[in-house]
Amino acid sequence: MGNRNLFTLIPKIDELLEKDEIKELMRDIPRITVVDTIREEIEDLRGKIKNGISEEEIESTINNLPSHIQAKAQKKDSYKLKRCINATGVVIHTNLGRSLINKKIMENVLEVASHYSNLEFDLEKGQRGSRYSHLEEIIKDVVGGEAAMVVNNNAAAVMLVLSTMAKGKEVIVSRGELIEIGGSFRIPDVMSQSGANLVEVGTTNKTHLWDYEKAITENTAALLKVHTSNYRVVGFTSAVDSEELSVLKEKYDIPIIEDLGSGVLVDLSKYSLEYENTVQDSLKRGVDVVTFSGDKLLGGPQAGVIVGKKKFIDACKKNPLTRAFRVDKFTIAALEGTLKYYLDEKKAMEEIPTLRMLTMTKETLNKKSRKLKELIENNIDSAYIEIEIEDSYSEVGGGSLPTERIPTKCVVLDIKKISINSFEENLRHYDIPLIARLNKDRVYLDVRTIEDEEIELVVKGIKYALGVED
Ligand SMILES: *Cc1c(COP(=O)(O)O)cnc(C)c1O
């Protein structure tokens, strides 16, 4: 007889749409999504019949169809950009959204975004204002400088500054600082896009003050320093710092621009991390214009901050590119909130998630790892999984402090019944995807980047990935 008549058992789309569960589903989920899901399920069913599954199995699949459709349609309807759990220990993880914003700040972001605001309205004068005004004072209070503005990201900040200060002119850069950051941000390319002409000086490992001086011509518009964020040149090296460069600045009246990358605003060596040149340091050393990211070590939203001499910042504000690079109200609100914490360094270290995670104490890491291990042991049979706590290292990430290895604690899983690769894949498909590190056939969960209130979710995710949900 063959399987042909089994096809007649497959319900029609319209029949399914009339079922109560499906009708109920369409109250929350658009009909088009539900219909798509039904089509896929039916297609699936046809495939199964072609592959010769039994009549019994077909019947039970059909009986379960509405609940299946419900689950699938809900998944289809969920947000594409969504919260994840970062168990990698990479704090500023560019692929996972870099810095987290403190929820207390988000209350004001929500308030501003869901109501009208004074985004470009001067409440004192009762007339049109500037969106940059909200951040300028706080930036100056925190880092110094005569003026400041904020654009979409640091790449845009560098481009805007070069275009404003050096279009059609020459900018001198050390060969040791011609960096690529990733996402195809390369200093030579940014330079040519901005219309400035790159003049390379020195060698990869050594650049001297006289290299810069020899390259100065009447066409020189600026000296550019670029922070080599994501790598280090070690050994027989020498670079000219901005303080030395300011000698040339005085002598030839040429401004210094510095792309600082990460935007460190506190001396991290006080917290057992590597010392990083802060924005304040650069300004004190005589740099005229400093640019840095908002969402790397500063710990705020994606943004590019430009701070320094008023005449250059004013010129940047008038550049038509500024309109193309401008920040929206969400960014302004989140950055203002983040910067306010810096008025009190202790608060910044406690309230800014990036800084809090980077400086997490040993005791906290121990406590968290023990809590996670215990919770897994209490919830999952040891036939499925073996658990250990191991010393390991976290990374700063985001191309910041690349040589820094921060001691951490990992909960390490040995997966028994399924392959480690399917386990890892399942973790990624959990409702709140869990991103972990694999090493030598074991799964590493670095507790530094797992928030306290996420520990139970991690256990649920593991149960889901093992297929032992209750
Ligand atoms: C990260 C970085 C950039 C790019 O900053 P975004 O905010 O990601 O656009 C530019 N320059 C340096 C030195 C960096 O480290």
Side-chain angles (χ1 to χ4, degrees):
M1 185 180 76
N3 278 334
R4 202 173 323 145
N5 74 338
L6 289 182
F7 287 106
T8 59
L9 297 176
I10 297 174
K12 301 259 175 310
I13 292 180
D14 288 339
E15 278 167 39
L16 283 165
L17 285 170
E18 283 308 309
K19 295 229 181 259
D20 287 343
E21 297 106 306
I22 303 293
K23 278 189 183 160
E24 167 95 22
L25 187 63
M26 282 192 291
R27 256 177 239 155
D28 298 324
I29 294 177
R31 184 187 164 92
I32 186 167
T33 309
V34 176
V35 172
D36 270 356
T37 312
I38 293 176
R39 284 217 173 89
E40 283 169 22
E41 285 296 296
I42 288 177
E43 217 28 63
D44 211 44
L45 210 53
R46 275 191 223 283
K48 281 182 178 155
I49 296 173
K50 272 187 205 145
N51 287 334
I53 73 167
S54 70
E55 186 159 349
E56 244 173 37
E57 275 178 277
I58 284 293
E59 271 168 5
S60 97
T61 309
I62 289 171
N63 285 338
N64 290 330
L65 214 48
S67 66
H68 229 103
I69 289 166
Q70 203 169 13
K72 269 195 132 172
Q74 273 159 354
K75 194 138 201 160
K76 226 188 215 314
D77 189 54
S78 70
Y79 281 108
K80 297 290 176 275
L81 174 61
K82 54 183 164 186
R83 169 184 178 182
C84 293
I85 297 171
N86 176 7
T88 66
V90 180
V91 178
I92 308 172
H93 200 305
T94 296
N95 303 143
L96 301 182
R98 286 198 183 161
S99 285
L100 317 185
I101 308 293
N102 185 318
K103 283 206 178 105
K104 286 180 244 173
I105 294 175
M106 291 313 289
E107 282 170 23
N108 189 47
V109 177
L110 178 68
E111 184 81 358
V112 164
S114 56
H115 297 90
Y116 290 108
S117 67
N118 60 335
L119 180 64
E120 289 190 349
F121 188 74
D122 185 330
L123 293 172
E124 296 307 315
K125 296 183 183 142
Q127 62 193 35
R128 190 180 200 283
S130 154
R131 70 176 60 215
Y132 301 106
S133 64
H134 310 291
L135 291 167
E136 189 151 14
E137 287 311 312
I138 183 93
I139 294 172
K140 290 194 305 191
D141 286 346
V142 174
V143 304
E146 294 172 6
M149 68 183 289
V150 177
V151 290
N152 240 321
N153 54 25
N154 187 33
V158 175
M159 174 90 93
L160 177 63
V161 167
L162 289 172
S163 153
T164 305
M165 294 172 64
K167 196 172 189 169
K169 294 200 170 152
E170 293 170 356
V171 175
I172 304 175
V173 190
S174 159
R175 288 202 171 85
E177 297 175 5
L178 291 176
I179 55 165
E180 171 176 319
I181 318 267
S184 67
F185 178 92
R186 292 175 146 193
I187 287 295
D189 299 342
V190 173
M191 191 79 83
S192 70
Q193 284 292 328
S194 75
N197 300 317
L198 169 66
V199 177
E200 305 174 22
V201 296
T203 61
T204 308
N205 57 330
K206 285 208 170 204
T207 302
H208 305 279
L209 191 62
W210 44 263
D211 284 319
Y212 286 92
E213 186 158 18
K214 268 198 325 201
I216 292 174
T217 70
E218 56 187 30
N219 256 330
T220 307
L223 309 173
L224 174 67
K225 288 280 301 167
V226 185
H227 191 270
T228 55
S229 303
N230 51 4
Y231 72 100
R232 292 280 184 272
V233 181
V234 294
F236 185 62
T237 67
S238 94
V240 180
D241 71 24
S242 36
E243 196 159 9
E244 294 171 77
L245 268 191
S246 57
V247 175
L248 298 182
K249 167 187 142 167
E250 303 300 330
K251 195 163 160 190
Y252 298 95
D253 193 24
I254 296 169
I256 304 173
I257 302 168
E258 184 163 21
D259 170 13
L260 259 188
S262 275
V264 186
L265 306 185
V266 294
D267 176 1
L268 291 176
S269 65
K270 281 196 273 183
Y271 305 94
S272 329
L273 290 163
E274 199 182 321
Y275 170 77
E276 266 281 279
N277 189 30
T278 64
V279 176
Q280 295 91 319
D281 290 338
S282 288
L283 290 169
K284 273 190 214 126
R285 288 175 192 153
V287 176
D288 296 276
V289 176
V290 182
T291 75
F292 53 96
S293 280
D295 56 354
K296 291 185 183 170
L297 283 166
L298 190 152
Q302 179 190 306
V305 181
I306 308 173
V307 59
K309 290 272 153 59
K310 188 165 186 312
K311 69 170 173 181
F312 299 123
I313 307 288
D314 283 348
C316 285
K317 285 179 185 165
K318 292 197 190 99
N319 188 323
L321 277 179
T322 294
R323 181 62 172 76
F325 293 161
R326 83 176 184 187
V327 276
D328 72 354
K329 55 194 172 190
F330 304 96
T331 306
I332 294 172
L335 189 56
E336 185 185 6
T338 308
L339 287 166
K340 273 158 78 79
Y341 286 131
Y342 280 99
L343 295 174
D344 176 353
E345 185 174 315
K346 191 166 162 276
K347 249 205 150 137
M349 301 312 289
E350 285 164 5
E351 299 288 354
I352 298 173
T354 297
L355 297 179
R356 179 166 47 74
M357 284 192 250
L358 285 171
T359 57
M360 199 170 276
T361 63
K362 229 180 170 150
E363 294 83 77
T364 309
L365 292 163
N366 280 337
K367 227 167 80 190
K368 272 214 272 194
S369 57
R370 280 200 298 264
K371 189 168 153 198
L372 176 56
K373 176 169 184 267
E374 230 166 73
L375 209 60
I376 299 172
E377 281 168 345
N378 293 342
N379 279 280
I380 303 173
D381 193 303
S382 59
Y384 290 92
I385 198 165
E386 227 170 78
I387 313 145
E388 266 178 344
I389 294 177
E390 264 187 37
D391 289 324
S392 181
Y393 293 97
S394 308
E395 281 173 49
V396 180
S400 311
L401 310 180
T403 50
E404 183 84 64
R405 281 155 57 91
I406 317 171
T408 192
K409 290 282 174 195
C410 284
V411 172
V412 185
L413 312 177
D414 210 333
I415 305 301
K416 298 291 177 197
K417 305 234 164 164
I418 57 173
S419 82
I420 184 172
N421 290 325
S422 4
F423 178 73
E424 187 269 345
E425 186 182 334
N426 294 345
L427 286 180
R428 279 188 277 116
H429 289 119
Y430 182 55
D431 277 348
I432 302 179
L434 204 162
I435 316 300
R437 196 148 54 82
L438 302 190
N439 186 21
K440 299 201 179 104
D441 287 333
R442 294 191 308 161
V443 182
Y444 280 68
L445 306 172
D446 187 334
V447 293
R448 181 183 300 277
T449 46
I450 300 172
E451 299 279 323
D452 263 336
E453 75 258 19
E454 287 179 332
I455 289 185
E456 276 176 31
L457 285 172
V458 171
V459 178
K460 282 189 184 154
I462 294 171
K463 287 172 92 171
Y464 170 85
L466 290 170
V468 294
E469 281 172 296
D470 26 41

